[in-house]
């Protein structure tokens, strides 16, 4: 396994989860722990960064605290119960994954996960709260393995101007936004009380945000994208184990059509400088021994590892065999 990434959870049993199979539990209990000294440190880090990069914006983010994933045995039991009843299985479907989520911010992320004192924060978190992540922001990101109609996986070359992993190959991705959830509910102020009352809206934002990132970064219309499937959550250890929910998203357009749209420029065209297409079989065979692996940023590596494990779109054993032969 690459030391830059690890898999927190995967949905291999179900070949990925649909939106209806995921729920969130929101609470202030899932926010990071803190004290006055840490808050002063975060403020100092933020002030220093903003003085050098005045365009930085301190937006609210969702914080992943923990999760619960149903076991295959539990799901089999549910299926049997559903068949015995008169109600359709889809109606009775119970979410398989519960994400326990709090709130954090980009400022907190830079002042904890990216702090020069992060090792000490992790030690303190473990000693005082039983978790090395307790004092860290741990904002939940999203990313997508997007596959075109001609079975090509889309990667983009990150700009030198982005905050992390400049010039590396990445997947389209970003963050779900608490602000957008609250605005959709008719409120401008972000409050945990409002979010707690509308967990379905948070799940919707989680799944919608990954498609919005594809639209903005690759310039592909939402109408050309299939239903996102959640493959799992990967951890980026270059930023103290920041979590990212990685999805598989199909696209009805060919790679040539996607390339043409990309070069027309989307809303976030400045974040990347090039687009690269890999054969799906090639992606299934990527590992640390592949020449391309060192070009991938951690988020892309995590998504590739989940794609290889979950295989949300592999219909036959043939594609797996082809990947093994190419490897």
């Amino acid at each position: 396994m690459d030391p830059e990434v690890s898999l927190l959870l995967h949905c291999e049993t179900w070949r990925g989860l649909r939106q209806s199979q995921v729920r969130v539990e929101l609470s202030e209990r899932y926010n990071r722990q803190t004290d006055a000294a840490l808050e002063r440190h975060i403020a100092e880090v933020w002030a220093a960064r903003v003085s050098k990069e005045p365009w930085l914006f301190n937006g609210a983010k969702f914080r992943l605290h923990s999760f619960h994933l149903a076991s295959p045995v539990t799901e089999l039991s549910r299926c049997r119960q559903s068949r015995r009843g008169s109600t359709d299985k889809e109606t009775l479907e119970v979410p398989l994954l519960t994400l326990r989520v709090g709130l954090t911010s980009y400022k907190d992320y830079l002042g904890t996960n990216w702090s020069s004192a992060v090792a000490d924060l992790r030690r303190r978190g473990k000693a005082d709260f039983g978790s090395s992540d307790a004092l860290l922001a741990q904002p939940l990101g999203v990313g997508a393995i997007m596959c075109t109609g001609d079975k090509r996986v889309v990667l983009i070359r990150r700009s030198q101007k982005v905050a992390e992993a400049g010039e590396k190959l990445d997947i389209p991705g970003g963050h779900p936004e608490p602000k957008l959830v609250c605005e959709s509910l008719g409120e401008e102020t972000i409050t945990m009380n409002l979010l707690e009352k509308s967990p379905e809206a948070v799940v919707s934002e989680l799944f919608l945000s990954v498609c919005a990132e594809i639209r903005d970064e690759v310039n592909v219309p939402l109408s050309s994208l299939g239903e996102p499937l959640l493959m799992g959550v990967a951890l980026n250890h270059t930023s103290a184990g920041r979590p990212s929910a990685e999805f598989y998203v199909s696209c009805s357009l060919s790679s040539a059509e996607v390339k043409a749209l990309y070069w027309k420029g989307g809303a976030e065209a400045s974040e990347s400088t090039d687009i690269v297409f890999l054969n799906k079989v090639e992606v299934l065979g990527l590992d640390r021994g592949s020449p391309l692996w060192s070009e991938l940023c951690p988020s892309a590596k995590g998504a590739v590892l989940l794609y290889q494990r979950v295989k949300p779109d592999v219909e036959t054993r043939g594609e797996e065999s082809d990947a093994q032969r190419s490897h």
Side-chain angles (χ1 to χ4, degrees):
M1 184 68 74
D2 191 300
E4 291 188 338
V5 294
S6 64
L7 303 184
L8 178 66
L9 73 95
H10 65 81
C11 306
E12 179 180 3
T13 299
W14 302 279
R15 304 282 284 275
L17 299 182
R18 302 183 300 277
Q19 182 174 325
S20 61
Q21 296 172 305
V22 178
R23 67 183 292 268
V24 296
E25 179 184 320
L26 296 118
S27 173
E28 290 184 353
R29 302 192 311 275
Y30 302 142
N31 294 352
R32 67 177 176 85
Q33 302 292 330
T34 190
D35 57 33
L38 178 53
E39 291 307 304
R40 286 194 298 271
H41 175 73
I42 291 172
E44 291 168 0
V45 171
W46 179 252
R49 285 294 296 266
V50 171
S51 68
K52 297 177 181 178
E53 304 167 73
W55 57 85
L56 291 179
F57 173 71
N58 181 30
K61 306 297 177 188
F62 291 110
R63 179 180 189 271
L64 181 62
H65 175 274
S66 54
F67 69 94
H68 173 73
L69 185 64
S71 70
V73 174
T74 302
E75 174 61 4
L76 179 60
S77 175
R78 287 173 180 159
C79 291
R80 287 173 176 169
Q81 290 174 1
S82 177
R83 285 197 294 269
R84 288 171 186 157
S86 58
T87 309
D88 185 83
K89 180 178 184 290
E90 288 297 320
T91 305
L92 289 175
E93 185 173 59
V94 178
L96 302 175
L97 174 64
T98 299
L99 301 174
R100 302 185 185 103
V101 173
L103 285 174
T104 187
S105 69
Y106 187 62
K107 174 183 174 182
D108 290 355
Y109 173 56
L110 292 183
T112 60
N113 288 66
W114 274 106
S115 167
S116 59
V118 67
D120 181 59
L121 293 177
R122 292 179 69 86
R123 285 193 295 269
R124 286 175 52 199
K126 183 68 173 178
D128 296 345
F129 304 101
S131 170
S132 58
D133 295 337
L135 296 169
L136 305 185
Q138 297 297 75
L140 179 63
V142 295
I145 291 287
M146 173 185 151
C147 192
T148 64
D150 52 347
K151 298 184 178 181
R152 299 293 189 272
V153 172
V154 173
L155 296 174
I156 51 178
R157 179 78 66 180
R158 292 172 65 85
S159 166
Q160 287 183 318
K161 297 179 181 179
V162 295
E164 301 173 42
E167 297 189 317
K168 292 282 189 176
L169 287 174
D170 200 3
I171 54 172
H175 295 86
E177 302 291 347
K179 185 176 188 293
L180 293 180
V181 176
C182 291
E183 287 178 349
S184 72
L185 298 171
E187 297 289 342
E188 294 186 3
T189 303
I190 301 169
T191 66
M192 181 59 78
N193 183 54
L194 178 62
L195 294 171
E196 284 179 314
K197 294 177 180 178
S198 308
E200 297 85 0
V202 176
V203 176
S204 178
E205 167 62 12
L206 178 65
F207 278 73
L208 288 173
S209 64
V210 74
C211 292
E213 294 293 345
I214 293 173
R215 176 197 62 200
D216 295 344
E217 295 182 8
V218 189
N219 201 31
V220 170
L222 296 179
S223 59
S224 299
L225 301 178
E227 176 188 13
L229 291 175
L230 177 61
M231 299 186 294
V233 175
L235 301 180
N236 179 349
H237 295 294
T238 66
S239 52
R242 178 185 62 84
S244 182
E246 309 296 0
F247 294 81
Y248 170 80
V249 180
S250 64
C251 177
S252 60
L253 304 177
S254 68
S255 54
E257 291 170 319
V258 170
K259 184 176 183 179
L261 288 169
Y262 172 82
W263 287 113
K264 287 183 179 179
E268 297 179 1
S270 63
E271 294 186 3
S272 66
T273 59
D274 197 6
I275 188 167
V276 174
F277 298 90
L278 298 182
N279 186 289
K280 187 169 71 172
V281 172
E282 183 181 0
V283 176
L284 287 169
L286 277 176
D287 62 17
R288 291 183 67 186
S290 306
L292 188 65
W293 189 259
S294 62
E295 289 195 58
L296 301 179
C297 67
S299 56
K301 291 177 180 178
V304 166
L305 291 173
L306 280 167
Y307 179 65
Q308 292 172 341
R309 180 153 191 168
V310 177
K311 299 181 178 68
D313 61 340
V314 175
E315 298 178 358
T316 68
R317 300 291 298 179
E319 290 181 358
E320 294 181 57
S321 299
D322 288 344
Q324 293 168 354
R325 285 195 293 271
S326 66
H327 176 61

